[in-house]
Amino acid sequence: MSFMRVSDSRITEKSSGSTSKGNLQFTHSQMDQIAQKPLIRVRRFWALCAFAIALAFVINAAFGDRTLPEVLIEGQPIAAQIGWGVAFGLAISVPSTVVVLCVPQFSSLRRQLLDLVRRLDLDALNPLWISLSAGIGEEILFRGALQPILGIWWTSFIFTVAHFWSGQFQSMNWQKLIYAASVFVIGLLLGYVFSEIGLIAAMVTHATVDVVSLFTARRLLRVSSAYA
């Protein structure tokens, strides 16, 4: 759930009468379209991470009461923040992943979410690097710079709006509405983690959620490709 994810939607359900494992199969023409598009590489995410951090410093310098380094070191000890971040991230991502994968009513939502990540370069450890870049950049910007100024609710709203293009909210349907609501709720949870535990904990929570999501998405995309 990163606003840094760039995608376009061309995945459609197969025509009636066709079947595939888990309803995830692409048509051959769809696979050809995907192959013709260049993958979005990890370096783009790190560039966007750097931009988010630079923007955070500008906002903090103009409106903040404390410097970003001061915000970063506040809270519980670093080891405790990392532990809490991993725990919260797994508590958020694992149940939601199980529900989306196993509940038949969410099959169309599952396809929608795969549509959002299918052009990412997910080879090797790239899901980890993408998740770290999102966790670091977005949390420094939204929680570290904006939340002390705007509060948790407005920051979570802006966090959701920032996913407008990556979530393809310009053509809203119920699946995207669920995704947008999920982004907002997770923004609130990240804000709570930041205020109660620390910014590093929020970064780790965010990164853990994305790690689980992207590695799961990679597995599903490979399954769908194998059955195409």
Side-chain angles (χ1 to χ4, degrees):
M1 28 180 217
S2 164
F3 83 97
M4 299 177 181
R5 292 173 191 162
V6 183
S7 59
D8 55 274
S9 58
R10 285 193 303 272
I11 292 182
T12 58
E13 298 184 29
K14 297 198 68 174
S15 59
S16 59
S18 62
T19 60
S20 62
K21 186 175 182 179
N23 292 323
L24 294 174
Q25 185 176 357
F26 300 149
T27 65
H28 290 295
S29 62
Q30 289 167 345
M31 294 302 296
D32 291 340
Q33 289 176 345
I34 295 172
Q36 292 171 2
K37 283 288 187 178
L39 290 176
I40 300 170
R41 305 294 180 180
V42 174
R43 60 179 176 269
R44 180 179 298 186
F45 294 94
W46 284 113
L48 288 169
C49 175
F51 173 78
I53 293 173
L55 181 59
F57 271 96
V58 171
I59 294 173
N60 177 261
F63 305 105
D65 295 329
R66 299 164 296 167
T67 67
L68 279 179
E70 290 174 338
V71 174
L72 183 64
I73 64 175
E74 289 179 346
Q76 296 186 13
I78 293 177
Q81 291 200 44
I82 293 173
W84 280 114
V86 172
F88 280 124
L90 292 176
I92 294 170
S93 59
V94 173
S96 59
T97 299
V98 170
V99 169
V100 172
L101 289 180
C102 299
V103 177
Q105 288 78 6
F106 287 103
S107 60
S108 56
L109 175 61
R110 180 168 64 245
R111 287 191 294 271
Q112 179 70 58
L113 295 176
L114 286 177
D115 184 27
L116 299 178
V117 300
R118 64 187 173 81
R119 280 195 55 214
L120 304 183
D121 181 5
L122 299 179
D123 287 341
L125 291 178
N126 288 349
L128 174 61
W129 309 133
I130 293 172
S131 300
L132 286 175
S133 68
I136 294 171
E138 293 184 24
E139 292 312 303
I140 288 178
L141 174 59
F142 290 102
R143 256 54 67 177
L146 288 178
Q147 185 167 315
I149 300 169
L150 300 177
I152 186 172
W153 289 92
W154 276 110
T155 300
S156 299
F157 174 75
I158 296 173
F159 180 67
T160 305
V161 172
H163 288 75
F164 181 87
W165 292 112
S166 63
Q168 302 165 11
F169 297 154
Q170 63 273 21
S171 56
M172 187 62 71
N173 54 33
W174 74 265
Q175 296 97 333
K176 294 177 184 179
L177 185 61
I178 291 177
Y179 177 69
S182 300
V183 172
F184 181 77
V185 171
I186 291 176
L188 293 176
L189 293 173
L190 290 169
Y192 174 81
V193 171
F194 163 62
S195 62
E196 297 297 323
I197 303 175
L199 183 56
I200 293 175
M203 291 180 186
V204 176
T205 301
H206 189 149
T208 301
V209 170
D210 283 0
V211 162
V212 173
S213 300
L214 291 181
F215 274 109
T216 302
R218 182 175 74 178
R219 174 61 179 167
L220 293 177
L221 288 171
R222 287 177 175 178
V223 169
S224 67
S225 298
Y227 281 80

